[in-house]
């Protein structure tokens, strides 16, 4: 049986409306619509306009479609990194980005920081004049940590001619990102946008677009200059995931603005962290000790491996709740809760109810 609610941080819960949109996509002929046709172009125009409106993406930023966040790692290394990038990370996704970049540009450097640390932008070891791209993961899904706006701002203020690139895969659509404080932002739709996987968004500042044109890398089908040129006509370099773009256009049109969504998620996260910190149900507590390092959109919870396994199993069997597994080093001793917009409040209420019941049974 399918769980009633899933807290998986990706692929995550999709909006229930997606069921109807899928039928509409079929009925309206989108599954065989030509991606060079006017109808597709009009849909893309509408979709990107609504993305700007609902996510507060500045008018002069360029929005591109990719297949995934992973593809963005490669595009950025190929098209915006003639020399080297510098990578700051504390988990698996940031590490993978560094690994892919280094495979293409061996001069890339990186720094790992502790999951409970708040890094200091002023002391990061890179030379702005010799670095093309400074790369950070705004929300590290694997460790349930987040870099705050102030850090991103401080970093942006010191990068000089380098570009600041931000992996916002598990916060794009869930956090009120300050787009003007970085040059490159990207994410996938199966996290905070509540859609099926297979589509990524890449958002570029005017400075990043100018840099891409200057470098003018054209050796790849997904070279940034070709993508930017195609998007001037609301088109893509290859046959894109038209279905997912259509679903995105429908979801984003009906969703509330990020100014409404983000505070709601913040409040939900705070309640959860308070609960796990103060009550410590069954001995479970927040994975990240430092409140200033904790993610809003992915909440990590830790406990002994046997307890984690039991809680995951019983949540599924007794309450129809699918908890997200831990990741990497924390796989056995933690679970993760996607605090994404498409996960309803009722799911969090059911989770706390389940834990309270289990707690009462133990103390009885
Ligand atoms: C999920 C995720 C990715 C990878 O996304 P794909 O759509 O699988 O390419 C990259 N970075 C972060 C932070 C993620 O959460």
């Amino acid at each position: 049986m399918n769980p009633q609610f899933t807290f998986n941080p990706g692929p995550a819960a999709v909006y229930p409306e997606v069921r109807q949109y899928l039928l509409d996509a079929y009925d309206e002929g989108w599954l065989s619509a030509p991606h060079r046709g006017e109808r597709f172009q009009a849909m893309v125009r509408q979709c990107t306009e609504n993305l700007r409106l609902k996510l507060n993406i500045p008018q002069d930023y360029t929005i591109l479609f990719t297949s995934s966040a992973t593809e963005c790692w490669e595009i950025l290394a190929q098209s915006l990194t003639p020399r080297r990038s510098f990578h700051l990370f504390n988990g698996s996704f940031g590490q993978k980005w560094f690994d892919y970049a280094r495979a293409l540009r061996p001069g890339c450097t990186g720094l790992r920081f502790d999951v409970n640390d708040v890094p200091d932008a002023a002391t990061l070891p890179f030379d702005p004049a010799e670095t093309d791209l400074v790369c950070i993961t705004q929300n590290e899904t694997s460790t349930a940590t987040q870099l705050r706006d102030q850090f991103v701002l401080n970093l942006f203020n010191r990068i000089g001619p380098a570009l600041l690139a931000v992996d916002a895969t598990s916060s794009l659509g869930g956090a009120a990102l300050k787009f003007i404080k970085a040059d490159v932002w990207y994410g996938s739709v199966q996290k905070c946008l509540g859609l099926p996987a297979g589509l990524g968004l890449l958002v570029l500042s005017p400075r990043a677009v100018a840099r891409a044109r200057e470098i003018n890398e054209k050796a790849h089908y997904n070279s940034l200059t070709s993508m930017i040129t195609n998007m001037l006509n609301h088109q893509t370099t290859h046959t894109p995931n038209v279905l997912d773009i259509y679903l995105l256009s429908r979801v984003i049109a009906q969703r509330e603005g990020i100014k409404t969504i983000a505070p709601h998620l913040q409040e939900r996260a705070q309640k959860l962290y308070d609960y796990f910190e103060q009550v410590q149900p069954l001995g479970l507590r927040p994975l990240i000790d430092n409140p200033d390092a904790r993610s809003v959109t992915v909440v990590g919870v830790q406990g002994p491996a046997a307890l984690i396994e039991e809680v995951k199993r019983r949540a599924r069997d007794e309450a129809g709740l699918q908890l997200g597994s831990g990741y990497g080093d924390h796989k056995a001793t933690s679970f993760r809760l996607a605090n994404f917009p498409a996960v309803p409040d009722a799911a969090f209420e059911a989770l706390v109810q389940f834990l309270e019941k289990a707690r009462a049974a133990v103390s009885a």
Side-chain angles (χ1 to χ4, degrees):
M1 199 188 75
N2 276 335
Q4 190 189 1
F5 295 117
T6 177
F7 293 96
N8 247 353
V14 298
Y15 283 107
E17 294 88 341
V18 167
R19 185 175 188 273
Q20 183 60 48
Y21 299 159
L22 282 165
L23 294 173
D24 292 346
Y26 184 93
D27 291 344
E28 293 170 15
W30 285 107
L31 303 189
S32 32
H35 65 288
R36 305 270 174 231
E38 266 174 38
R39 193 164 169 246
F40 174 78
Q41 289 170 285
M43 192 260 285
V44 167
R45 185 185 311 114
Q46 185 66 50
C47 183
T48 50
E49 267 173 26
N50 275 331
L51 283 168
R52 284 182 206 289
L53 195 69
K54 297 293 178 74
L55 301 183
N56 277 346
I57 300 173
Q59 281 301 332
D60 59 353
Y61 274 50
T62 299
I63 302 175
L64 302 171
F65 295 119
T66 66
S67 309
S68 63
T70 302
E71 188 194 4
C72 295
W73 293 335
E74 199 166 85
I75 292 171
L76 297 175
Q78 286 165 356
S79 293
L80 277 182
T81 314
R83 296 168 300 171
R84 67 185 62 80
S85 45
F86 169 77
H87 298 252
L88 177 73
F89 56 91
N90 74 5
S92 307
F93 288 108
Q95 168 87 55
K96 278 188 205 171
W97 186 4
F98 177 39
D99 291 344
Y100 282 115
R102 196 165 39 165
L104 285 167
R105 303 286 184 263
C108 292
T109 57
L111 178 71
R112 177 183 281 276
F113 64 105
D114 187 83
V115 292
N116 280 298
D117 277 355
V118 173
D120 178 5
T123 59
L124 295 180
F126 68 89
D127 177 353
E130 298 296 325
T131 306
D132 300 308
L133 218 55
V134 173
C135 303
I136 58 173
T137 304
Q138 194 265 346
N139 198 75
E140 178 51 79
T141 321
S142 70
T143 53
T145 60
Q146 188 189 64
L147 293 167
R148 301 284 187 257
D149 289 346
Q150 191 59 49
F151 170 80
V152 182
L153 175 63
N154 292 345
L155 186 55
F156 191 56
N157 286 340
R158 86 155 264 222
I159 57 169
L163 299 175
L164 180 56
V166 186
D167 180 341
T169 305
S170 51
S171 50
L172 183 70
L177 302 171
K178 306 250 184 311
F179 286 96
I180 56 166
K181 299 304 178 193
D183 298 288
V184 178
W185 298 84
Y186 62 83
S188 303
V189 299
Q190 77 275 18
K191 310 263 167 101
C192 285
L193 289 163
L195 286 160
L199 181 67
L201 293 171
L202 178 55
V203 179
L204 303 176
S205 71
R207 203 162 79 113
V209 170
R211 189 70 54 83
R213 289 228 170 87
E214 215 175 279
I215 295 168
N216 202 22
E217 184 271 314
K218 283 199 173 152
H220 302 91
Y221 82 94
N222 54 4
S223 84
L224 215 39
T225 32
S226 314
M227 291 178 69
I228 292 165
T229 305
N230 270 281
M231 197 41 108
L232 293 175
N233 282 323
H234 303 100
Q235 290 188 12
T236 51
T237 55
H238 58 287
T239 317
N241 189 340
V242 178
L243 173 60
D244 227 344
I245 296 173
Y246 171 80
L247 297 176
L248 173 63
S249 78
R250 294 290 304 268
V251 158
I252 203 70
Q254 63 88 37
R255 245 171 64 127
E256 289 176 294
I258 197 68
K259 282 270 148 65
T260 307
I261 290 175
H264 178 64
L265 298 189
Q266 279 207 327
E267 198 180 303
R268 241 174 24 183
Q270 192 57 52
K271 269 198 212 156
L272 274 180
Y273 283 123
D274 287 349
Y275 175 65
F276 284 108
E277 197 156 69
Q278 288 157 19
V279 178
Q280 306 211 347
L282 309 167
L284 298 166
R285 58 192 180 85
L287 172 63
I288 303 301
D289 296 322
N290 182 355
D292 293 331
R294 288 175 186 160
S295 163
V296 169
T297 48
V298 181
V299 173
V301 177
Q302 64 170 308
L307 174 67
I308 294 292
E309 200 188 312
E310 187 195 336
V311 167
K312 276 166 57 184
R313 179 176 49 77
R314 289 182 53 194
R316 188 190 60 216
D317 296 348
E318 295 169 23
L321 302 173
Q322 175 87 51
L323 308 185
S325 290
Y327 202 100
D329 298 342
H330 311 284
K331 192 166 175 59
T333 53
S334 71
F335 59 76
R336 293 173 302 159
L337 304 170
N339 181 25
F340 293 169
V343 182
D345 289 348
F348 290 92
E349 284 154 19
L351 174 66
V352 172
Q353 234 172 50
F354 160 76
L355 290 169
E356 283 300 287
K357 212 170 114 191
R359 205 161 71 89
V362 170
S363 57

